[in-house]
Amino acid sequence: MVTNGLTLLSLDWRTLRMNKLPGAYLDHDLFDLGALPRASNDYLGFLFSVREKFGLDDVAYAGMNPINGSIFGHVTYGDAWKTHYVQMGLHRIDPTLLKARRSIAPVDWSRLERDDDFRKVFNDASDFGISDQGLTIPVRGPFGDVGGLSVTSSLSRPEWNKLKANVIVGLQSVAVHMHDMVIRSDSLSNLLKTPNLSQREVEVLQWISAGKAQQDIADILTISYRTVEVHLRSARHKLYALTTAQAVGRAIAMGLIYPG
């Protein structure tokens, strides 16, 4: 669905802080690019201008990190709905989001199956004054990147059908333009460059940083010595490190673990 005028697949507005991206990155799978360092306010302003120009209720852009599948975006929805959407984990069942991921053509919400997930998302949305009438336009890039522009409208059905026919071509251009702007941004580049370490890999590196030997770590985590080595090897690969010491140093520098 759309949280801020975009597909609600987007953001963890509650916990993401500008100086704590790596930690939030580990714990959450939604990111508000507007909360990141050097994020441009032009994105949200652009979406508001699109909303006004096309006579829409809300407009939202959402994209997916091609490396780890986390979702990010900008939306024009109100803070109350954004918070509710994130707290309830609605991005995991949102049919407008899931359908758009698999489609190359615009997704008209009126054609979505009215199943339990649809009713859950849109019944909740209705409580926040958000219509179940909308459209999501998927965008795919050359690097495996996927995005989508979602719009909502509370016009009557005939009026919405007329508006939709008049604006769909323009919205497709808007969707591509917005996606390209975000993909080129420093904010997204930082997300894409942040290794997606598993929780166990982080734990193993943290214990290495604290000076523990691999057998000690195996005992602490109640796993085998070989499993510790597997996690270390995977962490080194994800961090582009030749040695465990390099991996620990890079993880500390990126804020993924703390100095021992």
Side-chain angles (χ1 to χ4, degrees), residues 7-255:
T7 329
L8 275 179
L9 27 160
S10 296
L11 333 149
D12 190 342
W13 349 77
R14 295 168 298 150
T15 55
L16 190 58
R17 295 294 182 269
M18 290 176 24
N19 61 344
K20 294 184 179 179
L21 172 61
Y25 182 85
L26 287 172
D27 297 335
H28 306 283
D29 58 358
L30 297 180
F31 297 97
D32 182 359
L33 291 181
L36 297 178
R38 298 182 299 280
S40 172
N41 292 327
D42 291 340
Y43 298 137
L44 190 54
F46 178 69
L47 292 181
F48 273 111
S49 68
V50 169
R51 187 181 74 174
E52 298 306 313
K53 176 177 180 179
F54 292 100
L56 302 162
D57 287 1
D58 277 299
V59 182
Y61 165 82
M64 179 179 292
N65 185 322
I67 295 176
N68 68 2
S70 62
I71 298 166
F72 50 85
H74 292 283
V75 298
T76 65
Y77 292 117
D79 289 341
W81 171 237
K82 291 187 289 185
T83 299
H84 178 81
Y85 187 87
V86 171
Q87 290 179 338
M88 299 301 295
L90 297 181
H91 62 288
R92 297 184 176 90
I93 63 170
D94 190 335
T96 69
L97 174 58
L98 300 178
K99 180 69 174 178
R101 289 180 184 174
R102 301 190 295 266
S103 179
I104 58 174
V107 177
D108 190 327
W109 297 356
S110 67
R111 298 180 181 177
L112 294 172
E113 182 181 355
R114 262 50 179 177
D115 57 11
D116 290 343
D117 289 344
F118 183 96
R119 286 190 289 272
K120 170 59 179 171
V121 171
F122 282 100
N123 284 345
D124 284 14
S126 178
D127 292 339
F128 291 84
I130 298 171
S131 172
D132 64 356
Q133 186 169 253
L135 183 72
T136 299
I137 300 173
V139 182
R140 299 180 184 277
F143 308 110
D145 44 297
V146 179
L149 187 82
S150 296
V151 302
T152 63
S153 174
S154 56
L155 292 172
S156 69
R157 182 59 55 121
E159 290 175 321
W160 165 239
N161 288 335
K162 181 178 180 180
L163 176 64
K164 182 171 57 179
N166 289 334
V167 304
I168 190 166
V169 173
L171 287 176
Q172 291 185 74
S173 297
V174 167
V176 171
H177 178 67
M178 182 71 184
H179 183 73
D180 288 349
M181 283 197 302
V182 172
I183 289 298
R184 291 195 300 263
S185 73
D186 288 341
S187 299
L188 179 56
S189 295
N190 289 337
L191 284 181
L192 295 179
K193 292 174 183 176
T194 303
N196 184 29
L197 298 183
S198 70
Q199 185 61 43
R200 189 63 90 187
E201 288 163 356
V202 171
E203 289 174 342
V204 169
L205 287 177
Q206 187 64 69
W207 282 116
I208 290 287
S209 174
K212 298 296 184 181
Q214 288 183 214
Q215 186 58 60
D216 294 332
I217 297 172
D219 294 339
I220 292 169
L221 300 179
T222 63
I223 57 179
S224 69
Y225 179 95
R226 176 168 175 73
T227 300
V228 172
E229 179 54 42
V230 168
H231 288 310
L232 280 176
R233 187 183 309 122
S234 177
R236 287 194 299 266
H237 174 74
K238 292 178 180 179
L239 289 163
Y240 300 97
L242 296 176
T243 67
T244 297
Q246 289 179 7
V248 169
R250 183 161 290 163
I252 291 172
M254 301 178 82

